[in-house]
């Protein structure tokens, strides 16, 4: 973190901290009510989750699916000063006897100091789908 961190970068860092610690109340307070998270892939975790409650519900489902092992190790946060931020991270999760580790990024749209849109990008959509489609 730099001395002159942009407020949008600070917001994204707070969101990552809340997500990583499972603090959905704080995370929800950083989003607009109509926030949408766009997730790549064809599984139940892929698609467009519209509305803060649906986004947070998807995060809770991911936490349950991964037995609490899902984490995003934040790399860098880049901002344009016009309401957009890009955060890179390394995604880790386990399900059953299988794990995944994948470079990923989130592209945020920020309006009036709150996250209004999240576009998720991953290194390998097919591998992510395979992981999210495991039984047992």
């Amino acid at each position: 973190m730099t001395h002159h961190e942009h407020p949008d970068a600070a917001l994204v860092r707070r969101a990552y901290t809340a997500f990583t610690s499972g603090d959905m109340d704080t995370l929800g307070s950083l989003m607009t009510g109509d926030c949408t998270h766009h997730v790549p892939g064809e599984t139940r975790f892929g698609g467009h989750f519209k509305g803060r409650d649906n986004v947070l519900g998807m995060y809770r489902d991911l936490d349950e699916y991964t037995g609490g092992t899902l984490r995003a190790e934040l790399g860098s946060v880049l901002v344009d000063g016009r309401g957009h931020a890009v955060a890179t991270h390394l995604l880790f999760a386990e399900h059953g006897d299988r794990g995944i580790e994948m470079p990923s990024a989130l592209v945020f749209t920020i309006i009036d100091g709150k996250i209004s849109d999240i576009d998720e990008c991953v290194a390998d959509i097919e591998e992510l789908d395979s992981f999210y489609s495991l039984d047992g």
Side-chain angles (χ1 to χ4, degrees):
M1 191 162 27
T2 65
H3 176 67
H4 301 285
E5 184 172 54
H6 191 276
D8 292 347
L11 172 68
V12 168
R13 288 183 191 284
R14 284 195 310 273
Y16 267 83
T17 298
F19 179 85
T20 300
S21 67
D23 185 353
M24 294 298 127
D25 290 335
T26 295
L27 186 56
S29 76
L30 303 176
M31 300 175 174
T32 61
D34 62 350
C35 181
T36 302
H37 189 142
H38 310 275
V39 183
E42 301 297 325
T43 70
R44 67 181 171 129
F45 300 113
H48 308 283
F49 297 86
K50 294 179 80 73
R52 177 179 39 231
D53 291 342
N54 289 327
V55 172
L56 295 174
M58 183 264 293
Y59 296 163
R60 287 183 184 101
D61 288 347
L62 277 170
D63 185 63
E64 182 178 322
Y65 180 81
T66 64
T69 64
L70 178 70
R71 73 183 197 281
E73 188 176 286
L74 184 60
S76 60
V77 179
L78 310 170
V79 298
D80 69 357
R82 296 177 291 113
H84 302 101
V86 176
T88 63
H89 64 267
L90 197 53
L91 173 73
F92 297 92
E94 295 176 7
H95 181 80
D97 62 354
R98 179 132 175 251
I100 192 167
E101 178 179 325
M102 183 177 294
S104 304
L106 298 177
V107 180
F108 295 89
T109 301
I110 299 165
I111 299 175
D112 295 328
K114 296 218 179 211
I115 298 165
S116 69
D117 198 77
I118 306 165
D119 280 298
E120 187 168 342
C121 300
V122 297
D124 188 334
I125 295 171
E126 289 183 19
E127 176 64 20
L128 190 68
D129 273 356
S130 175
F131 177 76
Y132 286 151
S133 298
L134 297 172
D135 292 327

